[in-house]
Amino acid sequence: MNPSQGQGESAPTYAAVLRVPRYLPVFLANALSMWGDYIARVTIAAVVYERTRSPLATATTLAVSLVPTFFGRSLIGPVVDRFPYKWVLIWSHLLRAACVLGLMWLVLQGASYWLMFLVLFGLELVGGASTASYMVLVTDLFEDRHLYARAVGLGAMSEQFNQAIGLALGGGLIVLVGPQTGLLFDLLTFVVAALVTLFVVELRPVSGERGRGLRGFARDLTTAAGDLARHPVLARLVTLSAIACLGIVAPEALALPIAGQNGWGGVLMASPIVGAVVGIILIGRRDVHEQNRSIVPLALAMPIPLLLTAFEPPIWLVAALFFVSGMMQAFMVPLQATFALVTEPALRGRIFSLAGSVSIAAAGLSYLAAGWVGQHSGPHLAVTICAGVCLALVALIAATWPHSRVRSAVDSAYATTSSRAA
């Protein structure tokens, strides 16, 4: 495909994205590292449950993997802007491999699961820098921003599949070969990812000014937070992403209570994920300007099917409602792509990390809110209540959406080539 493509009638294909030099091995290495994250979570959760037979302790294990992700993305973000992202990626993969070695030793010694929590916390904390570095790397790989927008969609689909594959691999390895061998496979995923990054990723110097020492590090972080909050486009995109979490996570959080004992729990949890994949495929066929114009309408439409859950329809219809709502979640693809391209290159590490931490926090709070409402009103009604609150909040954002500013930012971001290529 011609690198200057983007102004034509048809959107780039996924095959064209994978043909971009160095992207395919980087894409596969990132998938491996994601598998490693999920394998570690499932393996340690299984070990904890085997020893304690406590659902609370098992759930705590999974929660431990979410908290450090928030702190890792928010506090370690400036590292990505201080050092070449190639080395940040390599060292984050190696440090996570070292954490897995620690977990293997703790499992072998039969150590306290609180020690396992601590090491798992460190593994997920370091992953925050890896995630931000990967986002900056992918942004730099695609000089054609239309191809980049397509790559964001491919990455979103990959994340859904990698979550399922990682969880399935983790559970299968524990049953077939035991937790230690499962963790060994986990270790190899991080080592392979580090080697691929070493030999494939181009070394690029960091750009922009950075403060010195710990005070400069903290100043960089607070400055980036202020820049994000004051930016007329980035702030709205982050806010919309955060408030949409309530409608996005409610079906997953309450799927099992809605299903009860009828065996439909897995189907209900999978329905919005499958719907999201279909939505990503469909929106990827549209021009990037059309994609961005659909952000607000799709965000408004996303919680509407969930309002019908209060009538307690047949379980197959609930699954269909969850699927349709998942399709509308495709607005996150152009939102993420535009957010990345509008951010100044010198601030991408910090801004990406901060935005990611906001999303993690919003998702965690949304899970808690959905669970609390479900505890007091019943799972069917709770989904509707969460959807109604989400719809109201999105409507408030839509009423003050800076359409002209967003349109101008999109026109600038999706120029035929990046400023560096020019």
Side-chain angles (χ1 to χ4, degrees), residues 330-394:
F331 75 89
M332 292 296 295
V333 171
L335 185 151
Q336 292 171 2
T338 299
F339 183 91
L341 297 181
V342 171
T343 304
E344 294 183 21
L347 299 177
R348 280 176 180 158
R350 282 166 276 184
I351 296 295
F352 289 178
S353 297
L354 286 172
S357 66
V358 170
S359 297
I360 292 292
L365 292 174
S366 296
Y367 275 113
L368 293 175
W372 185 86
V373 175
Q375 186 74 21
H376 292 82
S377 65
H380 289 83
L381 182 59
V383 172
T384 297
I385 292 174
C386 291
V389 173
C390 177
L391 179 60
L393 293 175
V394 173

Side-chain angles (χ1 to χ4, degrees), residues 90-101:
I90 291 172
W91 280 107
S92 63
H93 291 321
L94 293 178
L95 286 174
R96 286 191 287 177
C99 288
V100 175
L101 277 176

Side-chain angles (χ1 to χ4, degrees), residues 10-12 14 145-154 237 240 279-299 328 330-338 401 406 410 414:
S10 60
Y14 291 125
R145 295 322 195 182
H146 293 75
L147 277 173
Y148 173 76
R150 193 67 158 166
V152 171
L154 180 61
L237 293 174
L240 178 58
I280 291 169
I281 293 173
L282 293 177
I283 199 171
R285 298 175 179 273
R286 306 175 68 183
D287 177 76
V288 290
H289 295 82
E290 294 179 358
Q291 290 185 34
N292 279 273
R293 286 194 294 270
S294 68
I295 289 177
V296 173
L298 286 177
M328 302 301 108
F331 75 89
M332 292 296 295
V333 171
L335 185 151
Q336 292 171 2
T338 299
W401 190 255
V406 173
V410 169
Y414 288 97

